């Protein structure tokens, strides 16, 4: 369970993409028939609060906004290198 939460936190820290599928059906001859299917792709930006939580967990704290942003960039690169994107 803890690994799942940590993985979700890392995903939020670097940002991610997601797809939403909306399907509309109609009933013809007693059967459902797909009428329309719409797929929407959304990009979720990195969450600075998730970055802060990861940094606090690793012992990095009390950073200025600029230092925190620099650490977020480093963390994003590290996570991408380790295929967490």
């Amino acid at each position: 369970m803890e690994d799942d939460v940590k993985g979700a936190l890392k995903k939020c820290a670097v940002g991610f993409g997601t797809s939403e599928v909306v399907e509309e059906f109609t009933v013809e001859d007693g059967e459902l028939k797909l009428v329309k299917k719409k797929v929407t792709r959304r990009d979720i930006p990195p969450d600075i609060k998730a970055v802060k939580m990861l940094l606090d967990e690793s012992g990095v704290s009390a950073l200025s906004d600029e230092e925190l942003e620099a650490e977020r960039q480093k963390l994003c690169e590290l996570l991408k290198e380790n295929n967490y994107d």
Side-chain angles (χ1 to χ4, degrees):
M1 172 87 169
E2 187 175 315
D3 290 337
D4 292 340
V5 172
K6 198 170 197 175
L9 188 59
K10 287 178 181 179
K11 186 176 178 180
C12 287
V14 296
F16 59 96
T18 184
S19 295
E20 180 180 343
V21 179
V22 177
E23 298 177 331
E24 291 183 24
F25 293 89
T26 187
V27 177
E28 288 184 10
D29 301 325
E31 293 184 18
L32 288 176
K33 181 179 176 184
L34 180 64
V35 176
K36 188 194 299 187
K37 182 176 181 177
K38 179 180 178 184
V39 179
T40 305
R41 171 128 173 95
R42 293 184 358 166
D43 290 318
I44 309 300
D47 183 352
I48 198 74
K49 291 178 184 176
V51 172
K52 176 104 172 90
M53 289 177 72
L54 287 172
L55 292 174
D56 287 345
E57 182 180 299
S58 68
V60 179
S61 60
L63 298 175
S64 69
D65 288 344
E66 293 79 19
E67 291 170 324
L68 185 57
E69 181 63 27
E71 287 295 325
R72 184 189 72 81
Q73 291 294 334
K74 288 180 194 175
L75 182 59
C76 288
E77 290 302 317
L78 179 63
L79 291 173
K80 286 179 183 178
E81 289 172 9
N82 291 310
N83 296 321
Y84 286 108
D85 54 351

